[in-house]
Amino acid sequence: MAVLKATQEAIAAAGAALRGGALVAFPTETVYGLGADASDGRAVAAIFAAKGRPRFNPLIVHVADTDGAERLGSFTDSGRQLAAAFWPGALTLVVAKQPRCPVADLATAGLATVALRVPAHPIAQALLRATDRPVAAPSANRSGHVSATRAAHVTADLGASVSIVLDGGPTPIGLESTVVDTTGPEPLILRLGGLARESLERVLSRPLALARGEPGKPASPGMLTRHYAPATKLRLDALEVRAGEALLAFGPAVPKGATATVNLSPSGDPVEAAANLFCALRELDGAGAQAIAVMPIPHAGLGEAINDRLQRAARSR
Ligand code: TXA
Ligand code: MG
């Protein structure tokens, strides 16, 4: 594995590696992705092997622009409206696959739909243009771990299976993209994420429902309840610290007595908290505490997605 500063030269090499069937990790504005040529079934299979994914969940396919997306999927009116408003950005749209869509069946788990995203991050954009193929990329973490928001998280989790890691520093948003299914009569949020529900609702001028899959059969196959999980137990909505606990804090009033403390946002800003969340969970998970106490975080804006991830991480195994 080579960790390369994302120079023009490194991006060109990474594009060539992708075209040759290798795996490349790269930053997007949400989290780091583990990319493969989406039209190459063997390369896509290598993603599942590298992540240790127990099942073949469908992957997000990344393209440089909306034209590229329209070549792979057929968009409904609501899909077009959301793409126009939020691409490039932290939004993934599930659309019907085009009849001659070149994306490998393994990347869509054999579904008749495909999840598409146009990322805004300049390194992701440059890589997609250098590759000139759709790039399938789940978050660049081992299956079940929290997503990688730093190049160092990628190397710690994935090791030798990745040929190049493009280091673009910390990812600015820090939560995965919001996934919206636009194939039905009403768009449906499959996964809360880096684009707040309120922003989507403003553009569509109506409330958006959040899909609630039945247990064991989630609406979005990747939304298994046990996900985004550190090894240390989490205790949510903690107002005080108990003996032996580390503390994930939020806001200016922080209780004392923790074995280790990380404050997601001393000023109480949910956008800053989202950007720090996964890094903080990794850090506190490595602090050897008996449990991690998590202070309450308001649900407005990105707070909804932060609370979603924390609840998944807290579910007992
Ligand atoms: O921010 C992100 O979304 C990152 C960056 C790298 O783009 N990617 C990411 O991918 O988080 P992943 O594989 O960890 O999550 C993809 C989610 C899963 O919940 C999966 O089930 C859902 O998208 N998904 C993919 N294709 C789908 C489809 N055809 N129908 C329904 N859900 C789909
Ligand atoms: Mg993931």
Side-chain angles (χ1 to χ4, degrees), residues 55 144 212-218 220-229 308-317:
R55 305 190 305 152
R212 298 230 174 265
E214 302 138 47
K217 191 184 172 294
S220 175
M223 290 302 276
L224 299 171
T225 47
R226 215 156 35 69
H227 208 143
Y228 311 107
D308 170 81
R309 298 303 187 272
L310 286 170
Q311 272 151 22
R312 284 171 205 287
R315 253 167 224 151
S316 62
R317 265 145 269 194

Side-chain angles (χ1 to χ4, degrees), residues 26-34 51 53 57-62 90-95 107-109 111-117 119 137-141 147 175-179 181 190-191 194 219-224 227-228 309:
F26 61 98
T28 78
E29 67 275 30
T30 56
V31 297
Y32 276 77
L34 176 63
K51 285 188 59 109
R53 257 198 193 188
N57 293 327
L59 306 176
I60 296 172
V61 177
H62 299 71
L91 174 67
T92 294
L93 295 174
V94 174
V95 302
T108 56
L111 298 170
T113 55
V114 59
L116 298 173
R117 176 170 172 221
S139 49
N141 53 280
S147 294
L175 292 173
E176 303 86 350
S177 61
T178 301
V179 181
D181 182 352
L190 298 183
R191 177 177 75 181
S220 175
M223 290 302 276
L224 299 171
H227 208 143
Y228 311 107
R309 298 303 187 272

